[in-house]
């Protein structure tokens, strides 16, 4: 962002340094990660390394921290998309990938349409380019070549009220853990 927009945004270490310098005593770090993966582990390690700098420093859980979270996200997304009975999830950089989704769709001979909705907090580059872009290898282009009508909904999870409430619930849970 600094290069592109001339805006400097603190990384986690810088934000924790600033909070400590400003005399903040209690702090909850709420990442917007979807799940407990490598990036979340990096945040957790940074929070643990800074425990002694605050009277209380807590870390909120990622969006999909439990089965109940998964159910809540499924309900929220189904509510957003509405009127559909079947949902398939694929990933851009892991498994199941788009080919696996296309195979599942193909097994259901009656499907003619595909609605693409990013499962990301912010619908950024992956959503706009990898999913909905006009490039030959985008999900949209590949599904169209496979014979589907494709509708792209470029809306991040952060725009969904039920998802925001789930993140707030994770903050509240972190607040009462210690």
């Amino acid at each position: 962002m600094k290069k592109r927009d001339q805006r400097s945004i603190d990384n986690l270490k810088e934000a924790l340094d600033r909070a400590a310098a400003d005399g903040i005593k209690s702090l909850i770090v709420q990442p917007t990660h979807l799940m407990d993966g490598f990036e979340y582990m990096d945040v957790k390690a940074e929070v643990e390394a800074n425990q002694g700098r605050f009277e209380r420093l807590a870390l909120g859980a990622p969006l999909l921290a439990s089965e109940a979270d998964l159910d809540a996200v499924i309900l929220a997304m189904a509510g957003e998309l509405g009127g559909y009975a079947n949902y398939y999830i694929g990933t851009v950089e892991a498994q199941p990938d788009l080919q696996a989704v296309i195979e599942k769709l193909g097994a259901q001979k009656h499907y003619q349409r595909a609605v693409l909705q990013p499962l990301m907090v912010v619908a950024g580059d992956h959503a706009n380019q990898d999913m909905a872009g006009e490039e030959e290898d985008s999900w949209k282009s590949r599904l169209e070549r496979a014979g589907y009508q494709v509708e792209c909904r470029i809306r991040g999870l952060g725009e969904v009220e039920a998802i925001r409430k789930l993140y707030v619930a994770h903050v509240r849970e972190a607040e009462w853990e210690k």
Side-chain angles (χ1 to χ4, degrees):
M1 287 183 66
K2 187 174 187 174
K3 185 177 179 180
R4 184 186 70 201
D5 301 328
Q6 293 74 49
R7 291 189 63 184
S8 183
I9 305 293
D10 290 345
N11 63 31
L12 179 57
K13 183 179 181 340
E14 293 165 339
L16 291 169
D17 288 347
R18 184 187 308 258
D22 288 347
I24 302 296
K25 304 288 184 206
S26 296
L27 184 64
I28 297 172
V29 174
Q30 179 57 58
T32 56
H33 295 105
L34 294 182
M35 57 191 126
D36 185 358
F38 292 123
E39 292 175 356
Y40 181 80
M41 292 280 100
D42 290 344
V43 170
K44 185 175 183 180
E46 189 68 43
V47 168
E48 288 171 356
N50 281 275
Q51 283 294 335
R53 298 176 71 193
F54 302 90
E55 289 177 14
R56 193 167 160 281
L57 178 59
L59 175 64
L63 182 65
L64 300 171
S66 69
E67 289 293 322
D69 292 343
L70 183 58
D71 291 341
V73 169
I74 289 169
L75 287 173
M77 295 311 299
E80 283 296 301
L81 293 170
Y84 297 99
N86 296 307
Y87 300 87
Y88 298 95
I89 295 176
T91 65
V92 172
E93 296 177 347
Q95 296 296 324
D97 62 5
L98 177 58
Q99 188 57 42
V101 172
I102 289 173
E103 288 170 12
K104 285 185 179 187
L105 291 171
Q108 307 292 323
K109 302 292 184 206
H110 60 280
Y111 290 145
Q112 297 174 1
R113 292 184 64 231
V115 178
L116 297 177
Q117 166 73 43
L119 191 62
M120 297 177 249
V121 176
V122 175
D125 287 342
H126 276 311
N128 287 298
Q129 294 171 8
D130 300 328
M131 186 187 86
E134 296 300 326
E135 296 82 13
E136 183 177 311
D137 63 340
S138 75
W139 284 42
K140 176 181 180 262
S141 296
R142 290 177 60 194
L143 282 163
E144 287 174 341
R145 280 195 310 277
Y148 297 96
Q149 275 185 303
V150 179
E151 175 187 343
C152 296
R153 296 186 179 181
I154 307 299
R155 187 168 183 215
L157 295 176
E159 296 180 60
V160 178
E161 183 177 359
I163 300 296
R164 291 192 308 266
K165 286 181 178 180
L166 189 53
Y167 276 118
V168 169
H170 287 301
V171 169
R172 288 191 176 121
E173 290 164 8
E175 181 178 14
W176 297 110
E177 282 181 5
K178 295 184 179 186

